Amino acid sequence: MRTGKAEILNSYFSSVYTSEEPDNEGFRCNMPSSSNLATDAWITREEIQKRLEHVKVNKGPGPDGIHPRVLNELSAVIAKPLHLIFQDSLRSGMVPRDWRIANVVPLFKKGSRSQPENYRPVSLTSVVGKLLEGVIRDRVLEYIAVHNTISLCQHGFMRNRSCQTNLVAFYEEVSRNLDAGMAVDVIYLDFAKAFDTVPHRRLMIKLRNIGLEHNICNWIENWLKDRVQRVVVNGTFSNWTSVVSGVPQGSVLGPLLFNLFINDLEVGIDSTVSIFADDTKLCKTISSMQDAAALQSDLTKLENWAANWKMRFNVDKCKVMHFGRNNINANYLLNGSVLGVSLMEKDLGVFVDNKLSNSRQCHSVATKANKVLSCIKKGIDSRDENIVLPLYMSLVRPHLEYAVQFWAPVLKRDINELEKVQRRATKLVKGMEDLNYEVRLSRLRLFSLEKRRLRGDMITLYKYIRGDYRQLGDVLFSHKNNQRTRGHPFRLEERSFHLKQRRGFFTVRAVRLWNALPSDVVMADSVNAFKRGLDEFLINQNIQGYCDTNIYS
């Protein structure tokens, strides 16, 4: 029966693959130079040994059976032979067969466990092969950073971009337009089995057209060629099946290759496009049927793009959300079907409704966090601080703070609902039951969640203004132009607003406190130095939250 489950899942996973015509007629391919990147210069024995020393030993082996702990403990011995193997593989563009086979573990997503479409195939591949994938990935990332290859609208699997940067940037534009009295339509698009359906020939055309070095392109092409996989369920295996399309989920190179494949999705689109891996949003202000027609035209362009590049939209999961009181509530077509209208979407794990209210998100994360906390209370007998606190900080608090700079609560009831979770958690520690909350926080060396959000706002804003997010920050914020001698030189314009929802947005709520920070704090030369200066300032000013009257009078 177990073998049957593995076969059923393997059959389903292979049924979604994309087939391509034998040639690529109609697609222009630029042959890259053979000297863009010097292989011998950027793959060294020292780097291989360093990567071996940082291999995660708690991960499982691939089909070749080589455990990562063996590689880690023998790093000094095997670095030289692996260096020679890697160099030869890159020069020849040939990938060993063992690096092109995978044991697939079905990862349950949601829905009925009896339906194979509710599982994601995660590939366990050779750990040795992943080491070379990591080397190639890092060099390709350097190349595309120098040449600005990846669009700013892509936030997935990119350095210094995240779910939070995607949400902040996209809904900043939506909220600005709503605050200006305009209506906005947002279309949420969902690709069907996106990673598994990437056509290999078309992917290679795109890689060569961006100018990647010839040997790198040949290596990736060979790495994708003649791949096979089998599904593993409870220790039993399905038969081997050929993998004719897609980039392996669970591989090191897969996410980057998908980003490069989908990178031209926004070309020719007039509406705002926002992408996180395969999660795509399309946004436009709507004041007339002409505006709706323009958005429909952009949607049709995306439909044509998907057809040309052998991708498919899951129309049933694609939705439109109408924002604004005066919205004309236009209908939109995708693949001949009218898109469903949604009042609330879960966007990158965060609930967003057509009022831009965050109450549902606050309630959702508080409920999840409380459930986990209950499991800890019931399952762990010890009430020792050194056991309870690490469990809370690693298993509970992340639920309350994921992307919180985007959805931070504004209403007092929402703020209290989140804080109650930490109040409850601190009472679990032995000896803290009868103490008030502030004393418990002090003895356990914790901040309130409200103060952590404020502190997180300032750290995030530092990254946007002076740190790694500066390219994104230039779009979100405007610097003051006056020549006042008081205050630091990175003061920002405080934007006015009309809607109460707008007041709670990160780009609005954080600016006044940022402008009030001392110059020596803002001028810190690193994030860690900024944190130290910020903590000292908050303590000296006794600032616990945005409602503090010392800052907001």
Side-chain angles (χ1 to χ4, degrees), residues 164-179:
Q164 181 166 280
T165 62
N166 177 286
L167 293 166
V168 167
F170 183 77
Y171 289 102
E172 168 68 11
E173 179 174 344
V174 173
S175 67
R176 278 188 195 178
N177 288 325
L178 290 176
D179 196 63

Side-chain angles (χ1 to χ4, degrees), residues 44-91:
T44 64
R45 175 183 173 180
E46 291 74 21
E47 180 177 3
I48 299 305
Q49 182 168 343
K50 183 178 179 181
R51 289 177 182 269
L52 287 168
E53 291 170 351
H54 288 86
V55 165
K56 295 181 180 179
V57 298
N58 59 334
K59 300 291 184 179
D64 58 9
I66 301 176
H67 199 282
R69 185 176 293 277
V70 175
L71 299 174
N72 177 267
E73 295 183 357
L74 298 178
S75 57
V77 179
I78 64 176
K80 182 176 180 179
L82 279 184
H83 176 230
L84 297 175
I85 292 171
F86 289 174
Q87 280 197 324
D88 185 62
S89 179
L90 281 167
R91 287 170 183 161

Side-chain angles (χ1 to χ4, degrees), residues 141 144-169 256 259 263 266 273-277 348 402 463-464 467-473:
L141 282 173
I144 65 178
V146 169
H147 294 83
N148 292 319
T149 304
I150 297 291
S151 166
L152 273 178
C153 74
Q154 173 63 271
H155 292 250
F157 310 117
M158 297 297 297
R159 290 171 182 168
N160 304 321
R161 302 184 204 175
S162 63
C163 292
Q164 181 166 280
T165 62
N166 177 286
L167 293 166
V168 167
L256 175 59
N259 276 359
N263 190 50
E266 67 163 347
V273 179
S274 181
I275 309 172
F276 188 94
L348 300 179
Y402 163 73
K463 294 178 181 178
Y464 274 113
D468 295 332
Y469 299 173
R470 278 176 291 181
Q471 194 175 19
L472 300 171

Side-chain angles (χ1 to χ4, degrees), residues 3-236:
T3 304
K5 290 181 180 178
E7 285 293 349
I8 290 171
L9 287 166
N10 194 37
S11 177
Y12 174 75
F13 293 153
S14 60
S15 70
V16 304
Y17 293 146
T18 298
S19 59
E20 289 186 274
E21 59 276 11
D23 57 24
N24 290 301
E25 184 177 352
F27 294 97
R28 182 172 59 86
C29 180
N30 299 326
M31 294 307 295
S33 166
S34 60
S35 58
N36 288 20
L37 297 168
T39 302
D40 291 348
W42 55 258
I43 180 169
T44 64
R45 175 183 173 180
E46 291 74 21
E47 180 177 3
I48 299 305
Q49 182 168 343
K50 183 178 179 181
R51 289 177 182 269
L52 287 168
E53 291 170 351
H54 288 86
V55 165
K56 295 181 180 179
V57 298
N58 59 334
K59 300 291 184 179
D64 58 9
I66 301 176
H67 199 282
R69 185 176 293 277
V70 175
L71 299 174
N72 177 267
E73 295 183 357
L74 298 178
S75 57
V77 179
I78 64 176
K80 182 176 180 179
L82 279 184
H83 176 230
L84 297 175
I85 292 171
F86 289 174
Q87 280 197 324
D88 185 62
S89 179
L90 281 167
R91 287 170 183 161
S92 65
M94 301 300 292
V95 181
R97 180 181 178 276
D98 281 354
W99 299 355
R100 291 179 284 137
I101 62 177
N103 288 334
V104 173
V105 176
L107 183 65
F108 178 69
K109 296 183 290 185
K110 60 181 180 180
S112 172
R113 290 184 178 271
S114 63
Q115 300 300 316
E117 60 266 25
N118 293 331
Y119 291 83
R120 177 180 291 111
V122 177
S123 298
L124 300 181
T125 57
S126 168
V127 180
V128 176
K130 284 184 176 180
L131 288 174
L132 184 50
E133 286 182 54
V135 174
I136 293 173
R137 176 204 59 195
D138 290 347
R139 296 313 179 269
V140 174
L141 282 173
E142 290 176 7
Y143 177 84
I144 65 178
V146 169
H147 294 83
N148 292 319
T149 304
I150 297 291
S151 166
L152 273 178
C153 74
Q154 173 63 271
H155 292 250
F157 310 117
M158 297 297 297
R159 290 171 182 168
N160 304 321
R161 302 184 204 175
S162 63
C163 292
Q164 181 166 280
T165 62
N166 177 286
L167 293 166
V168 167
F170 183 77
Y171 289 102
E172 168 68 11
E173 179 174 344
V174 173
S175 67
R176 278 188 195 178
N177 288 325
L178 290 176
D179 196 63
M182 293 182 281
V184 178
D185 279 353
V186 174
I187 296 177
Y188 298 86
L189 298 169
D190 181 79
F191 283 103
K193 309 297 179 184
F195 279 76
D196 299 321
T197 56
V198 172
H200 292 164
R201 292 192 186 94
R202 283 167 167 77
L203 170 62
M204 294 313 304
I205 289 172
K206 294 193 175 188
L207 297 184
R208 291 189 167 98
N209 282 346
I210 66 173
L212 286 183
E213 192 265 338
H214 185 67
N215 286 352
I216 295 294
C217 289
N218 285 348
W219 192 94
I220 294 174
E221 186 171 32
N222 195 257
W223 178 72
L224 292 169
K225 184 180 179 182
D226 298 328
R227 295 190 71 90
V228 294
Q229 69 179 32
R230 62 182 178 182
V231 173
V232 183
V233 177
N234 296 325
T236 63

